[in-house]
Each structure stands twice: as C-alpha cells, then as structure tokens.
Amino acid sequence: MTTPLVVLISGTGSTLQALLAAAREPRAPFHVAAVIADRDAAGLGFARAEGIPTEIVRLRDHPDRETWDRALAAAVAAHDPELVVLAGFMKLLGAPLLETYGGRILNTHPALLPSFPGAHGVRDALAHGVKITGATVIDVDAGVDTGRILAQAAVAVAEDDTEETLHARIKQVEQPLLVEVVRRRCLG
C-alpha cells in the first residue's frame, strides 16, 4: 500500500510532473490521489491524462476567504491523504487545512530560506546580488515560508542570470529535492 498524496497547484505543473513521474516508478512509496488547483491551472492536464481526480477551488467562487479556506480543506479531505504537497500553489493556507494536516503539508520555495521568503524569492535574490541561492523544502505552518526546513540545495547565480534563467535552474534541483523529501516522509 502506498501513501496517498493530494497535490495543490496554481500553474504549469512542472513540479507536479516530477511527483507523477516518481509515483510511476516501481516500488514508489506514494501515489497522487488527487490534484487540486485554485484556478484553471495548465498543470491539471497532467493529472487528468493519468486519470487522477482533479478539482478547482477558486477563491472568487466563495463569498470570503474563510469560506474558501473551508472549501479547500473539504476538497483535500475528500481524498483522505496522508500528505498534502504544495507544488507551485500560490495561496497561503488557512486554519482549516493547517489544523487538519499540520505537520503533513510540504512546500518548496525557490530560495535558501530563511532568506527571500514570499512570492518573489528568485527576483529578490537577484536584486540583492547574492552569488548562491537555491531551493528549500519546508513543513508548512501559518507563516509565509516560515515552516521547519526539511531540505535545501544550493544553486550558483550566474552573472548573466535573469529571473527566468535562474528560476529554471532552481527548478532542476527543487523538483528532485521535493521528490526525495516526499519519499523519505512516506517511508518513515
């Protein structure tokens, strides 16, 4: 029996693809039970192509943030996951999800936390002129990228890097790092 994951996404799904590929490997200790997005994210197509249930829980479809938080928590709970993995999910999680799955929610961040938290980690690293940045996998808490650090990998910043080129290189280490943390968590 493998560990069920629910993956939350907002975008293209490149990190989701890494998780799906790892789940297809022989003896993978996890499977993706569902993928939930907060918008009509392109990455949902990867899950649908594999027959994995998908759902969109849009903030705008709810009268307020508190109602959306409860709806998102209910959508996740419907799939009874052992772990919730944020793979490019660009919303903060509310109390209903954090209270139910606290300590079982993982997220990646494209910087070496605690440096450069928030939605613009790559841009902020470039603006500060750092020579090394990287990727971090954390346990999610109620703060903005303040959870317990589980793993990190460094990425050198090239002189001619743009936000796009640096982010692409960070993703090359971020995705396998997340997969490894998920594997370790599922294996105990």
Side-chain angles (χ1 to χ4, degrees), residues 85-168:
V85 180
L86 281 58
F89 190 68
M90 298 305 291
K91 294 261 190 306
L92 294 177
L93 300 182
L97 204 54
L98 292 171
E99 289 167 4
T100 302
Y101 295 99
R104 296 187 291 145
I105 305 171
L106 305 177
N107 191 22
T108 63
H109 184 73
L112 294 175
L113 293 172
S115 297
F116 312 118
H120 305 290
V122 177
R123 181 186 317 161
D124 294 346
L126 285 170
H128 280 81
V130 298
K131 301 302 177 198
I132 302 286
T133 188
T136 305
V137 178
I138 61 170
D139 272 325
V140 175
D141 64 13
V144 177
D145 298 322
T146 57
R148 182 172 61 103
I149 294 171
L150 302 173
Q152 291 184 304
V155 174
V157 179
E159 289 293 322
D160 61 346
D161 262 329
T162 64
E163 187 174 349
E164 293 76 24
T165 61
L166 181 56
H167 202 179

Side-chain angles (χ1 to χ4, degrees), residues 72-86:
L72 181 63
V76 169
H79 300 282
D80 197 26
E82 286 296 316
L83 282 176
V84 178
V85 180
L86 281 58

